Amino acid sequence: METSELLKKVRKIEIKTRGLSRNIFAGEYHSAFKGRGMAFSEVREYQFGDDIRNIDWNVTARYNHPYVKIFEEERELTVMLLIDVSGSREFGTFEKMKKNVITEISAILSFSAIQNNDKIGVLFFSDTIEKFIPPKKGKSHILRIIRELIDFQPKNTGTDITGAVRYLTNAIKKRSTAFIISDFMDENPDLEMALSIANNKHDVVALKVYDEREKELPPIGMVKLKDAETGKYIWVDSSSRKIRKIYSDFWNKHISRLDTMFKKCGVDYVSIDTKEDYVKSLMTLFKKRAVKQ
């Protein structure tokens, strides 16, 4: 993509998503993703009812009077975006492809993070780790992320979410909030274990982006379908009720498997349809998390 065209797209995404994150998500993001650590703040004289485990014995000995340590929540977070750049993200039958929705959601989360003084990093993955951008702060860093979201060209087309989750666990030492943004069309049985391990170390959130035509096949006769990840084509008779039922049954089993897996792993999860308003879905997720805090 030419530089001038890319800059126009970056600016368009920036204007839209920065406004959303500032005007809509600011409070919800802060409430939903609080810092989980506790940092030492100051000492004060012991008061009746204080936890004796917080007594600062050095200060107590110096003043010959009990003092306790005061802790406050560490507000700063490290946010990681694990972004699926496999071939299936190019699918879309309405106004937007999955890729476009993933880009906008990622940009919103990036601006929300920076407005809360959080660091943010990105991991692009297909069936390999395509690119890792270490967590940093600053507007220039966010704009670099948006440029990559728009213009990044992956080497591979397959999907390996398990490998990306394991990379997160090993590469990010400090506890982070990690958003996995994918269509989750990966049936690897090892994903559940990888998610459980990652969610014990980090706070993992799953955002599934899908297109309505992945749920059900319309009766429009013979259709040539392409697997975006393998490049293989297949002809399907969509006028057949049996074929359409097989198609929808596969989707229902896929969603049921994901629901079960995320619940077992303790991972918060939301599905986002490309033709629907993703703002509503994200707000629902954020408010649900805020209640749980």
Side-chain angles (χ1 to χ4, degrees):
M1 187 181 297
E2 292 184 6
T3 303
S4 59
E5 184 185 353
L6 175 59
L7 289 174
K8 285 179 183 177
K9 288 193 173 185
V10 169
R11 183 62 178 156
K12 186 177 179 181
I13 291 286
E14 180 193 0
I15 291 170
K16 178 177 181 178
T17 57
R18 184 170 59 178
L20 283 171
S21 63
R22 179 186 295 134
N23 301 324
I24 299 175
F25 291 105
E28 280 72 15
Y29 174 92
H30 182 91
S31 300
F33 304 103
K34 294 176 181 176
R36 299 299 179 91
M38 300 299 289
F40 170 71
S41 176
E42 58 181 332
V43 294
R44 63 163 170 77
E45 288 190 34
Y46 175 84
Q47 298 173 3
F48 179 75
D50 284 339
D51 191 335
I52 61 172
R53 291 174 296 182
N54 292 334
I55 291 177
D56 187 321
W57 294 107
N58 290 330
V59 178
T60 296
R62 189 181 308 152
Y63 293 101
N64 199 29
H65 187 80
Y67 279 78
V68 293
K69 295 177 181 178
I70 303 299
F71 295 86
E72 61 183 22
E73 186 180 55
E74 284 186 297
R75 179 43 239 160
E76 181 181 297
L77 291 175
T78 296
V79 177
M80 285 298 304
L81 304 180
L82 278 65
I83 300 174
D84 185 347
V85 292
S86 64
S88 60
R89 71 180 179 144
E90 301 289 345
F91 184 73
T93 56
F94 290 89
E95 290 183 5
K96 293 180 180 177
M97 291 191 297
K98 287 187 281 187
K99 174 184 177 180
N100 303 128
V101 176
I102 288 172
T103 295
E104 291 187 14
I105 290 172
S106 301
I108 282 177
L109 293 173
S110 298
F111 278 114
S112 296
I114 197 175
Q115 285 167 17
N116 280 271
N117 201 35
D118 298 335
K119 294 180 180 178
I120 186 158
V122 179
L123 178 67
F124 292 103
F125 70 92
S126 56
D127 54 8
T128 187
I129 304 304
E130 295 277 354
K131 188 164 192 170
F132 174 63
I133 302 175
K136 283 178 62 178
K137 295 181 183 180
K139 183 180 176 182
S140 61
H141 180 63
I142 300 298
L143 294 179
R144 179 200 169 188
I145 289 173
I146 295 175
R147 283 197 300 271
E148 293 286 0
L149 285 166
I150 293 170
D151 204 38
F152 184 75
Q153 299 298 320
K155 295 186 180 75
N156 295 358
T157 57
T159 309
D160 182 10
I161 303 174
T162 305
V165 172
R166 286 172 176 164
Y167 188 94
L168 169 76
T169 302
N170 295 328
I172 305 299
K173 304 305 179 186
K174 184 180 177 182
R175 181 175 174 83
S176 70
T177 294
F179 294 92
I180 306 173
I181 310 172
S182 171
D183 57 12
F184 286 92
M185 302 302 284
D186 180 3
E187 301 291 325
N188 189 330
D190 295 331
L191 178 57
E192 183 177 315
M193 178 63 74
L195 277 174
S196 293
I197 294 170
N199 201 41
N200 281 332
K201 182 178 180 180
H202 302 289
D203 178 15
V204 180
V205 181
L207 307 179
K208 177 180 172 64
V209 178
Y210 71 95
D211 187 273
E212 191 177 71
R213 285 292 170 256
E214 292 172 314
K215 292 173 62 176
E216 55 185 43
L217 201 60
I220 54 174
M222 295 298 292
V223 180
K224 189 178 184 182
L225 302 178
K226 179 184 178 182
D227 187 322
E229 300 193 3
T230 65
K232 293 181 179 178
Y233 288 92
I234 183 172
W235 282 97
V236 173
D237 183 6
S238 65
S239 61
S240 166
R241 285 187 179 180
K242 182 179 178 181
I243 294 294
R244 294 201 306 276
K245 186 176 186 308
I246 291 172
Y247 192 92
S248 61
D249 284 350
F250 172 82
W251 174 263
N252 291 333
K253 287 177 183 177
H254 165 67
I255 293 301
S256 177
R257 185 186 67 84
L258 285 181
D259 286 343
T260 301
M261 178 180 68
F262 289 132
K263 283 176 184 174
K264 285 177 69 175
C265 298
V267 170
D268 288 320
Y269 158 62
V270 68
S271 287
I272 299 170
D273 189 336
T274 55
K275 74 177 177 62
E276 293 178 351
D277 183 6
Y278 56 76
V279 170
K280 187 176 180 180
S281 298
L282 289 176
M283 290 286 280
T284 300
L285 171 68
F286 286 11
K287 287 177 179 177
K288 178 183 173 184
R289 284 182 57 94
V291 170
K292 288 168 58 179
Q293 296 288 342

